[in-house]
Amino acid sequence: MASSGEEQAPAAAVRVLGGWASHYAIRVYVALKLKGVEYEFQQEVVGSKSELLLKSNPVHKKIPVLLHHGKPVAESMVILQYIDEIWASDGAPAILPADPYARAVQRFWAQYVDDKIAPASVVLRGVVNGDKDEAAAQVSAALQHLEEAFVKCSQGKSYFGGDNIGFLDIVLGSHLGWLKAVEEIAGVKVLDESKFPELTAWADRFYAHHAVREVMPETDRLVQFNTYLISVLKAKGLFGSHV
Amino acid sequence: MASSGEEQAPAAAVRVLGGWASHYAIRVYVALKLKGVEYEFQQEVVGSKSELLLKSNPVHKKIPVLLHHGKPVAESMVILQYIDEIWASDGAPAILPADPYARAVQRFWAQYVDDKIAPASVVLRGVVNGDKDEAAAQVSAALQHLEEAFVKCSQGKSYFGGDNIGFLDIVLGSHLGWLKAVEEIAGVKVLDESKFPELTAWADRFYAHHAVREVMPETDRLVQFNTYLISVLKAKGLFGSHV
């Protein structure tokens, strides 16, 4: 292409097309911070999609997308594994454990989280129509399984990943902001300390971690954002069909 | 435990709890054959679940489960990656490519296959209620995306994985038996050569591969099995709620 004569800053080596409130995108920010990778963040506008997003993820047209030297990677769990594999040396902490069996266990539970927590969470937020009691029961049953999984995975240490935050910590932890917001929005106690003492203590540690603190939104902001999101979806005729 | 006095053969190092007709289980057989790993196959009975299955996969209670020295791994894509990581040396062919970006691309499309092909396929088989025209359109749209993905991934070679069958070949290829069966069951041309020339030629190569030939069921058997499965599900009151 001919030069336009205008000065344009070169694109950053690592860019994330995301949204500050998206739990899928939060996974990517946490992973990059864990690895100590600088990135440029591009906030997508609710109810709209940037040209760059449509070009980078033409199949799903969804955030997050990681652009690494311009090459797009989409789907949060795919991105997490890509980040782990690209920034694998130089003392960067590993996201997935080295042991194949431990990796399989974390991958199994991560898929479980996305199958059970995410669909129920959007019902409880009122973003998708559905039975709220059923959704609350589904989250509770999932957390019960994950409470037991935590004991097995952590082996008395701080995280699912042991001494450090790992794949499953990030995948489940990314939901914590919205689960806290759901408690206000739907008036349901979700992460009940009396039922899930291990997960509740883990959640506090996860929130306090340096890679999480800066990118995990405050509950109040999420509650406000949820109201705004529902109004935008309704105005665009997308309510009930869109997460 | 005290010895019962009876002679019992020790369990094989590698066992698969599966079903000959399950496309999810077929992935595991193909991967093990590719790696040259001997395994013992345990056929689960339709409409029933063995004690070993319930114990090995208490969360989902579904096949396939890989038992490696007695330790269970569940969920077909988790198993594929476990197999790739455990049998990574000794000249065994790799299932996922070495390059992180190529791995991310295969993982992205593999998830796409399970999101789009599997749910539509069971509707076309009549195992789950749904709009068959819509399901056929969904499969067709997915195959169009995968036709384009094949060109990009294979770079003129035989498989998504290049010269050898890889992760995405196995994930998509495992559906081929049922897609052929669907053509008879629902009277819909699915893998249409005029629309999907690359995928049609790839499917022939996949079928002819030594790791696939022995484990991919004949179309006629799948058509018969489908009728039998529907009758069992109806008899047990599970029809429409179960894949």
Side-chain angles (χ1 to χ4, degrees):
Chain A
M1 268 171 36
S3 167
S4 66
E6 286 176 44
E7 287 292 327
Q8 201 169 14
V14 180
R15 278 194 289 175
V16 182
L17 313 184
W20 63 267
S22 158
H23 75 271
Y24 292 121
I26 286 168
R27 295 173 177 176
V28 181
Y29 320 143
V30 171
L32 290 170
K33 287 194 177 291
L34 260 187
K35 292 282 191 182
V37 176
E38 295 281 328
Y39 64 94
E40 187 182 288
F41 169 63
Q42 179 168 324
Q43 170 73 43
E44 288 288 317
V45 177
V46 173
S48 173
K49 292 175 194 291
S50 71
E51 281 301 312
L52 187 56
L53 176 61
L54 295 173
K55 195 181 108 187
S56 305
N57 189 3
V59 175
H60 298 304
K61 305 177 178 67
K62 285 190 176 171
I63 57 166
V65 175
L66 178 81
L67 289 160
H68 187 207
H69 297 300
K71 284 160 79 179
V73 186
E75 296 286 285
S76 68
M77 291 216 260
V78 175
I79 297 172
L80 286 187
Q81 292 175 86
Y82 177 79
I83 289 171
D84 200 27
E85 292 168 4
I86 282 282
W87 290 283
S89 53
D90 301 329
I95 291 174
L96 274 162
D99 173 62
Y101 193 77
R103 292 163 74 89
V105 170
Q106 290 208 22
R107 286 186 173 125
F108 172 89
W109 285 112
Q111 191 58 54
Y112 179 81
V113 166
D114 274 3
D115 289 347
K116 303 295 180 188
I117 306 266
S121 173
V122 286
V123 169
L124 288 168
R125 285 167 53 190
V127 175
V128 166
N129 290 323
D131 184 320
K132 288 193 179 171
D133 290 338
E134 210 173 274
Q138 183 169 328
V139 171
S140 189
L143 292 177
Q144 189 58 56
H145 275 301
L146 289 160
E147 174 85 1
E148 292 159 25
F150 181 81
V151 174
K152 285 189 195 168
C153 289
S154 64
Q155 309 223 331
K157 294 178 176 167
S158 295
Y159 299 106
F160 284 96
D163 288 322
N164 294 301
I165 284 182
F167 188 66
L168 180 53
D169 295 285
I170 298 172
V171 169
L172 179 59
S174 69
H175 285 284
L176 287 172
W178 277 111
L179 290 182
K180 282 175 193 261
V182 153
E183 298 192 347
E184 292 197 23
I185 294 164
V188 184
K189 185 74 190 156
V190 177
L191 199 56
D192 186 335
E193 193 173 355
S194 66
K195 286 201 259 176
F196 315 117
E198 294 285 350
L199 281 186
T200 310
W202 161 82
D204 289 344
R205 288 191 292 273
F206 184 81
Y207 253 84
H209 193 283
H210 72 87
V212 176
R213 265 197 316 264
E214 295 167 48
V215 296
M216 184 68 90
E218 286 166 22
T219 309
D220 287 356
R221 280 186 76 201
L222 289 174
V223 173
Q224 285 167 24
F225 176 80
N226 203 55
T227 307
Y228 170 70
L229 177 66
I230 290 171
S231 71
V232 171
L233 294 177
K234 283 188 173 163
K236 295 198 173 247
L238 294 167
F239 182 73
S241 66
H242 180 93
V243 177
Chain B
M1 267 171 37
S3 166
S4 67
E6 286 178 42
E7 288 290 330
Q8 201 169 13
V14 180
R15 279 193 290 175
V16 182
L17 313 184
W20 63 267
S22 158
H23 75 270
Y24 292 121
I26 286 168
R27 294 173 178 176
V28 180
Y29 321 144
V30 171
L32 291 170
K33 288 196 176 289
L34 260 188
K35 292 284 191 181
V37 176
E38 296 280 328
Y39 64 94
E40 187 183 288
F41 169 64
Q42 179 169 323
Q43 169 74 43
E44 288 288 318
V45 177
V46 174
S48 174
K49 292 175 195 291
S50 72
E51 281 301 312
L52 187 57
L53 176 62
L54 295 174
K55 196 181 108 189
S56 305
N57 190 4
V59 175
H60 298 305
K61 306 177 178 68
K62 284 188 177 172
I63 58 166
V65 175
L66 178 81
L67 289 160
H68 187 207
H69 298 300
K71 284 161 77 179
V73 185
E75 295 286 287
S76 67
M77 291 215 261
V78 175
I79 298 172
L80 286 186
Q81 292 175 86
Y82 178 79
I83 289 171
D84 200 29
E85 292 168 4
I86 283 282
W87 290 282
S89 53
D90 302 329
I95 291 175
L96 275 162
D99 174 62
Y101 193 77
R103 292 162 75 89
V105 169
Q106 290 207 23
R107 286 186 174 124
F108 173 90
W109 285 113
Q111 191 57 54
Y112 179 82
V113 166
D114 273 4
D115 289 347
K116 303 295 181 188
I117 306 267
S121 173
V122 286
V123 169
L124 289 168
R125 284 167 54 190
V127 175
V128 165
N129 289 323
D131 185 320
K132 288 194 179 171
D133 290 338
E134 211 172 273
Q138 184 170 327
V139 171
S140 189
L143 292 177
Q144 188 57 56
H145 274 302
L146 290 159
E147 174 85 3
E148 291 159 25
F150 181 81
V151 174
K152 284 189 195 169
C153 289
S154 65
Q155 308 223 333
K157 294 178 176 169
S158 295
Y159 299 106
F160 284 96
D163 289 322
N164 295 300
I165 283 182
F167 188 66
L168 180 53
D169 295 286
I170 298 172
V171 169
L172 178 59
S174 68
H175 285 284
L176 287 172
W178 277 111
L179 290 181
K180 282 175 193 263
V182 153
E183 298 192 347
E184 292 198 20
I185 294 164
V188 184
K189 186 73 190 158
V190 178
L191 199 55
D192 187 335
E193 193 174 355
S194 66
K195 285 201 258 177
F196 314 117
E198 294 286 347
L199 281 186
T200 310
W202 162 81
D204 289 344
R205 288 191 292 274
F206 184 81
Y207 254 84
H209 193 284
H210 73 88
V212 176
R213 265 198 315 263
E214 294 167 48
V215 295
M216 185 66 90
E218 285 166 23
T219 309
D220 287 356
R221 280 185 77 202
L222 289 174
V223 173
Q224 284 166 25
F225 176 81
N226 203 55
T227 307
Y228 170 69
L229 177 65
I230 290 171
S231 72
V232 171
L233 294 178
K234 283 186 174 167
K236 294 197 174 248
L238 294 167
F239 182 74
S241 66
H242 180 93
V243 177

